[in-house]
Amino acid sequence: MCGIMGYIGDKPSERILLEGLKKLEYRGYDSAGIAVCTEQGMKVVKTKGRIAELEKLLQKQPLPSGAVGIGHTRWATHGKPSDLNSHPHTDTHKQISVVHNGIIENYLELKEELAAQGARFVSETDTEVISHLIASYDEGDIVRAVQQAAKRLRGAFAIAVLSEREPEKLVAVRQHSPLIIGLGEGEHFIGSDIPAILEHTRDVYILDDGEMAVLTRDGVDLMTTCGDPVTKQQFRVNWDLAVAEKAGFDHFMLKEIHDQPQAYRDTLSGRLFKGYPWVYLPELKLTPEKLRQFRNVHIVACGTAYHAGLVGKQAIERWARLPVEAEVASEYRYRSPLLTPETLVIVVSQSGETADTLAALREAKRHGAHVVAITNVVGSTVAREADDVLFTWAGPEISVASTKAYSTQLLAFYAFALHLARVRDTLPDEEIGPIVLALSRLPDQVASILERAEEIRSYAEEIAGHEHLFFIGRGMDYAVAQEGSLKLKEISYIHSEAYAAGELKHGTLALIEEGTPVVALATQPELYEKTVSNIREVMARGASVFGIASENTVDLASRVDRILLLPSTHPMISPALSVIPLQLLAYYASVARGFDVDKPRNLAKSVTVE
Ligand code: M6R
């Protein structure tokens, strides 16, 4: 994820910016850069690659000293990792520099407008419109220009702005993307995260959405982007650096589970509308005509990404009425799949580098199939080789156990399936509307589930002593059960199996005995009674059942040993909620058993070998 660092004071800013950015390295990035106001004007140095590359560049072309500057580590979103796409970005006259975290949804229309006014764009990024936009409003008052520009921007942004004409000021704005202001003695800091500034100060202001800060050596003025003054409490950070890197969470996995409300917002942002066209996927090169020509779909992926594909299969079949096969990539590539130019192949990969998935992608292309990739990493091999890409905007995932990548893959599938259905005219508007509404409610609903983490923790501590566990469910619940089971195995080393609830009686029921823990998902109204019958079957054999159901189905509480009721949503969307308690269950079980949650034994984050 991108990182921001800003400094104003009396010390040379270059070293402070670089050291601050290094503290954000753990978040992942692909390029880095700084802009400093010096006696010779504003200087920008940036490069693709690690901060070490930037340092080498600065050794070759040393900067005149300057005590005001901004820096950035970029995780590519709009535009591949490259020198030109790296931040900071400047206006045409190179007088204003901007670093930005987030996504500007309306950047294309702004770019067109600014280009028509003469702005010269040099990058593929959405960020560059911000520097040109601010410049277009700048009549000698950078604060006012930033306020006017902020009003025009749609989407998520945390920005830091430096102006050569007013080098005694730094301006910071937050809208849906975190930003903090560090308070020192005669010096002040901007950081996208606490670790960036912790070496210098523990006193911070945490900006809220719609707020901005104007930093000088002598003080910090807080205001809204409309210019109304804001007063807020300083926050004293008492975490050490290791804890701060995880935003105060004990592990990256727990942090990433809690990142999900924001990751959902970012992934849906600019793609969903509460009216026609409902879904808009501007990045797709596939035309409606071409989309209508496909006769079948193959979804190919590994591990957790494959499990997202199982949900995607049901969404595409149900909404777009196309036959879909979902298969693990390591099998797919060797079984001579029946591929034609009328087959749409969707490959799913968080990293975009998984060897089996890549091989499947190449096999599909060799047979002339059109490949759409769902991935989290811009510039990854999968993203480069696919014909089309739908990015999940989850931000870097550091824990080996995938959480926010899975859930945002679900959202990408929902958006794609709705788009396909609309183009193929297989789903009436009266059905699309409630689905879109349900999707837009997800971020807040996920946040409300996360508030109940303690309920899951106590169940996790209960199962931590067991060696076997079952997950059961039907339809969408079965697809999610498979992901819950993988998560538990992967980090708690408890053996578990996911079973289609109706299939248990054909053999596996023999394994249920007194006290066997069973997690039963029953979120699907159409299948509810059937699932309840299966729950009865296991309980009659002594199983201890933890039920997960929608809040509409309170009667399940009296039928199981424990229950967690989820906020109600559209049944097809429920995996995006029901996976959250399963992730927490795996996490807390691993903690209770004393394992290294973020680095489970025998596993790697990215599997680049067959
Ligand atoms: O990077 P990818 O999404 O292609 O990775 C695929 C699997 O290796 C990955 O999802 C794996 O199953 C996770 N560690 C599970 O948490």
Side-chain angles (χ1 to χ4, degrees):
M1 198 129 74
C2 306
I4 290 178
M5 175 73 185
Y7 175 74
I8 184 161
D10 290 322
K11 299 177 190 145
S13 57
E14 180 183 320
R15 192 57 15 219
I16 293 175
L17 295 174
L18 291 172
E19 292 307 321
L21 292 178
K22 281 185 191 165
K23 298 290 184 321
L24 301 175
E25 276 193 300
Y26 70 96
R27 298 155 61 102
Y29 67 101
D30 47 54
S31 47
I34 59 171
V36 178
C37 271
T38 75
E39 311 89 62
Q40 296 163 27
M42 191 164 60
K43 300 284 173 202
V44 179
V45 185
K46 54 187 193 172
T47 179
K48 177 182 165 186
R50 317 292 299 169
I51 295 170
E53 306 297 320
L54 181 64
E55 285 179 312
K56 275 190 213 150
L57 210 60
L58 286 162
Q59 268 163 18
K60 272 195 234 150
Q61 326 158 4
L63 281 183
S65 159
V68 188
I70 54 177
H72 192 260
T73 44
R74 174 175 189 250
W75 164 265
T77 56
H78 295 71
K80 60 186 178 299
S82 73
D83 294 354
L84 277 180
N85 288 338
S86 313
H87 301 205
H89 287 283
T90 59
D91 67 307
T92 308
H93 304 292
K94 302 201 170 15
Q95 291 186 320
I96 291 170
S97 276
V98 172
V99 292
H100 161 226
N101 286 359
I103 294 168
I104 303 300
E105 288 171 11
N106 56 336
Y107 84 102
L108 282 176
E109 71 193 56
L110 290 173
K111 192 169 180 173
E112 218 171 280
E113 175 188 319
L114 292 159
Q117 292 167 15
R120 282 197 304 278
F121 284 84
V122 294
S123 79
E124 303 159 300
T125 65
D126 52 341
T127 302
E128 200 186 347
V129 298
I130 308 176
S131 44
H132 290 289
L133 190 63
I134 295 172
S136 75
Y137 289 117
D138 188 9
E139 291 170 350
D141 182 347
I142 189 68
V143 177
R144 209 174 135 60
V146 171
Q147 285 167 345
Q148 282 174 297
K151 280 189 211 134
R152 302 280 319 274
L153 299 172
R154 278 208 317 269
F157 49 92
I159 57 176
V161 184
L162 183 63
S163 165
E164 186 180 76
R165 296 201 286 178
E166 295 176 71
E168 71 293 350
K169 273 183 202 150
L170 270 183
V171 186
V173 186
R174 176 199 162 134
Q175 182 66 31
H176 300 311
S177 193
L179 204 62
I180 55 158
I181 307 299
L183 307 165
E185 287 291 321
E187 56 180 6
H188 298 101
F189 308 83
I190 301 172
S192 54
D193 218 338
I194 287 168
I197 56 147
L198 208 49
E199 199 185 321
H200 307 283
T201 179
R202 292 185 168 270
D203 293 321
V204 299
Y205 286 131
I206 299 177
L207 293 188
D208 288 310
D209 289 343
E211 289 180 353
M212 60 187 287
V214 180
L215 292 75
T216 60
R217 281 173 183 77
D218 304 328
V220 174
D221 283 339
L222 300 176
M223 60 194 80
T224 65
T225 45
C226 300
D228 301 327
V230 167
T231 31
K232 60 168 55 202
Q233 289 278 322
Q234 284 181 21
F235 175 73
R236 176 102 186 138
V237 181
N238 41 29
W239 311 324
D240 63 18
L241 189 60
V243 177
E245 282 184 350
K246 296 172 193 130
F249 292 102
D250 290 343
H251 297 95
F252 282 112
M253 180 178 177
L254 191 59
K255 172 188 176 292
E256 284 158 10
I257 290 173
H258 280 80
D259 281 346
Q260 287 173 114
Q262 186 63 42
Y264 279 33
R265 275 189 203 102
D266 290 344
T267 301
L268 295 176
S269 161
R271 289 172 165 165
L272 283 191
F273 298 90
K274 289 180 183 155
Y276 189 82
W278 304 104
V279 187
Y280 178 54
L281 300 175
E283 61 270 60
L284 277 191
K285 288 188 283 243
L286 273 171
T287 59
E289 296 67 42
K290 176 84 180 149
L291 275 171
R292 280 191 275 271
Q293 281 162 18
F294 292 122
R295 293 284 154 262
N296 64 335
V297 180
H298 291 178
I299 297 174
V300 195
C302 301
T304 285
Y306 162 69
H307 293 152
L310 295 176
V311 172
K313 167 185 159 74
Q314 297 192 47
I316 294 172
E317 286 189 338
R318 176 116 7 158
W319 294 339
R321 310 308 294 160
L322 268 176
V324 184
E325 285 176 48
E327 194 167 359
V328 291
S330 51
E331 290 294 318
Y332 182 83
R333 57 181 294 201
Y334 291 119
R335 69 160 177 86
S336 190
L338 294 175
L339 284 157
T340 72
E342 290 176 337
T343 307
L344 172 64
V345 175
I346 304 178
V347 296
V348 193
S349 173
Q350 183 282 133
S351 61
E353 302 296 346
T354 300
D356 287 319
T357 309
L358 255 174
L361 179 159
R362 289 173 183 155
E363 178 71 3
K365 285 192 78 171
R366 207 164 60 81
H367 285 85
H370 187 99
V371 178
V372 174
I374 295 179
T375 182
N376 197 34
V377 183
V378 177
S380 61
T381 314
V382 160
R384 280 185 280 115
E385 294 195 14
D387 299 298
D388 256 310
V389 189
L390 276 179
F391 289 108
T392 49
W393 302 125
E397 201 180 55
I398 292 167
S399 178
V400 167
S402 188
T403 52
K404 58 179 181 173
Y406 168 85
S407 52
T408 52
Q409 283 159 1
L410 299 185
L411 303 191
F413 267 119
Y414 290 137
F416 183 75
L418 285 177
H419 177 63
L420 198 57
R422 212 175 47 74
V423 166
R424 289 170 49 81
D425 209 8
T426 47
L427 201 61
D429 280 5
E430 310 80 81
E431 288 188 44
I432 296 182
I435 298 169
V436 168
L437 188 65
L439 286 166
S440 69
R441 287 186 174 146
L442 284 175
D444 290 342
Q445 291 181 324
V446 170
S448 76
I449 298 172
L450 291 172
E451 279 166 16
R452 291 155 63 198
E454 279 307 309
E455 294 173 44
I456 322 273
R457 183 211 282 262
S458 84
Y459 178 63
E461 286 167 356
E462 206 176 292
I463 59 148
H466 287 260
E467 287 308 321
H468 304 278
L469 183 143
F470 289 88
F471 290 86
I472 61 171
R474 287 169 173 257
M476 282 295 195
D477 287 338
Y478 175 43
V480 185
Q482 293 178 68
E483 172 56 10
S485 173
L486 173 64
K487 215 86 307 170
L488 188 73
K489 283 186 277 232
E490 188 179 12
I491 56 170
S492 77
Y493 318 149
I494 297 173
H495 168 247
S496 75
E497 281 195 51
Y499 248 79
E503 182 65 13
L504 273 180
K505 55 188 174 297
H506 298 290
T508 310
L509 200 55
L511 289 173
I512 304 290
E513 51 187 17
E514 200 54 41
T516 304
V518 174
V519 176
L521 291 121
T523 70
Q524 301 294 297
E526 280 178 15
L527 300 163
Y528 180 69
E529 286 307 329
K530 300 277 174 212
T531 309
V532 168
S533 304
N534 302 134
I535 291 173
R536 281 208 199 95
E537 284 162 13
V538 292
M539 289 191 80
R541 271 98 189 156
S544 158
V545 174
F546 178 45
I548 297 179
S550 154
E551 62 193 2
N552 302 333
T553 44
V554 275
D555 67 312
L556 191 65
S558 57
R559 305 183 189 198
V560 294
D561 300 285
R562 276 173 180 260
I563 187 136
L564 183 85
L565 295 176
L566 303 172
S568 65
T569 187
H570 190 284
M572 294 291 285
I573 306 296
S574 73
L577 295 181
S578 55
V579 73
I580 309 291
L582 303 188
Q583 295 167 345
L584 289 167
L585 179 63
Y587 171 77
Y588 285 121
S590 176
V591 171
R593 286 164 73 98
F595 296 128
D596 185 349
V597 177
D598 287 330
K599 294 195 186 85
R601 68 188 181 204
N602 309 338
L603 300 176
K605 181 66 185 160
S606 179
V607 186
T608 52
V609 290
E610 262 194 73

